[in-house]
Amino acid sequence: MIREVITYPNKLLRLKSKDVEQFDSKLHTLLDDMYETMMAQSGVGLAAIQVAIPLNVLIINLPNEEDIQDKNDLIEAINPVITHKDGTQIFTEGCLSVPGFSEDVTRAQHIIVEYFNRFGEKQTMECEDFLAVAWQHEMEHLAGHLFIENLSIIKRKKFEKEWKKKLKDKK
């Protein structure tokens, strides 16, 4: 089922998500719904809080070399923790919760993440480049943060001004 993606400045996006304790059919339904929602929105990642569920759950599905998002490459991460970060990279990011806006963000180049899959089995992933960016971006959501908070004060003020105008124009 496709769920509504909440958008900035919805206060739920500021909530710190809670760890998942039950690896059950309810969690599996949430993961399946998140996948359908992300694909319907043409996204590459989605955190549960973006569909108004404050749980430490995220999914990532980057396009392959043929620019296709293969479901076999889907990462479903429950209670993820970054255990190592190094290097820096600048990547132009966007967000389903901040539609129509993208900006350069500095993140770690290389990370190691520990998490559980949908069955409660512990996983470890080492990654870099775009995948590392996606992990860091989605994990910020779980902590109650958005990528726009990484912008310089000048860029952030410009964004806020443009965003308020955009919201006002919609009404």
Side-chain angles (χ1 to χ4, degrees):
M1 176 181 86
I2 295 174
R3 300 188 186 205
E4 180 188 351
V5 175
I6 59 175
T7 57
Y8 181 80
N10 189 310
K11 288 182 179 14
L12 285 177
L13 292 168
R14 298 284 182 215
L15 277 183
K16 186 172 178 351
S17 295
K18 303 254 185 281
D19 276 353
V20 170
E21 293 174 6
Q22 298 284 329
F23 291 80
D24 55 12
S25 62
K26 197 172 164 189
L27 173 65
H28 295 195
T29 298
L30 172 63
L31 287 163
D32 294 342
D33 289 356
M34 286 174 62
Y35 178 75
E36 281 185 48
T37 302
M38 179 184 74
M39 296 309 287
Q41 298 273 335
S42 301
V44 296
L46 189 69
I49 193 63
Q50 292 179 273
V51 291
I53 306 293
L55 287 174
N56 283 325
V57 174
L58 64 84
I59 61 171
I60 297 170
N61 194 352
L62 301 186
N64 61 23
E65 298 81 41
E66 289 89 45
D67 207 29
I68 296 165
Q69 285 173 280
D70 185 341
K71 192 167 184 184
N72 292 323
D73 298 329
L74 177 66
I75 298 165
E76 297 177 327
I78 292 88
N79 304 339
V81 177
I82 294 175
T83 60
H84 176 84
K85 288 182 180 187
D86 65 67
T88 58
Q89 63 178 318
I90 296 172
F91 203 90
T92 305
E93 295 184 30
C95 181
L96 296 178
S97 291
V98 190
F101 179 79
S102 59
E103 188 57 73
D104 288 349
V105 176
T106 303
R107 301 227 184 246
Q109 170 74 31
H110 168 256
I111 64 169
I112 299 173
V113 189
E114 290 181 355
Y115 62 97
F116 295 92
N117 67 15
R118 68 167 49 210
F119 305 107
E121 299 162 338
K122 191 164 190 167
Q123 312 286 308
T124 300
M125 181 178 287
E126 186 170 352
C127 54
E128 53 190 25
D129 304 325
F130 186 25
L131 184 53
V133 167
W135 270 105
Q136 292 169 83
H137 177 109
E138 297 309 327
M139 286 184 70
E140 275 187 350
H141 281 297
L142 303 182
H145 298 290
L146 291 163
F147 84 105
I148 54 175
E149 294 172 43
N150 296 311
L151 304 180
S152 68
I153 290 170
I154 292 167
K155 284 184 178 178
R156 180 80 190 265
K157 283 188 171 163
K158 183 176 185 255
F159 161 77
E160 291 290 351
K161 186 178 175 186
E162 290 171 3
W163 194 256
K164 281 182 181 144
K165 183 182 182 325
K166 185 177 172 179
L167 291 178
K168 192 176 160 193
D169 291 348
K170 272 187 173 177
K171 289 180 182 175

